[in-house]
Amino acid sequence: MGRKDEARALFERLLGLCNDVGLLSEEFDPVAHKMVGNFPQAFSHLALVGTALNLSREGGPVQQRSH
């Protein structure tokens, strides 16, 4: 969509929400500013890695799969 700077800023904000060992919970309470719910083992982290790849290089996984 051509909004890479905005995507990077949002991604950096998300990374700031990780706990002290780099995990993300299922949900985040924006009022209390804390993570709630369980800590999934793969789903959120798989998306995090895919997003990092997409933002770090041209022709990331999303573009590669579209061909």
Side-chain angles (χ1 to χ4, degrees), residues 1-65:
M1 294 176 51
R3 297 166 49 191
K4 208 162 196 174
D5 290 338
E6 186 179 344
R8 283 183 197 278
L10 187 57
F11 184 72
E12 293 293 330
R13 184 173 167 208
L14 174 65
L15 291 178
L17 299 177
C18 293
N19 69 8
D20 58 334
V21 293
L23 296 176
L24 293 165
S25 67
E26 291 176 324
E27 299 178 43
F28 184 80
D29 182 341
V31 175
H33 298 282
K34 67 179 190 173
M35 290 187 269
V36 295
N38 296 323
F39 285 86
Q41 293 297 311
F43 295 119
S44 59
H45 299 89
L46 185 60
L48 189 73
V49 169
T51 301
L53 287 171
N54 280 321
L55 291 173
S56 69
R57 60 184 181 204
E58 291 297 319
V62 169
Q63 283 95 6
Q64 290 173 4
R65 285 193 299 269

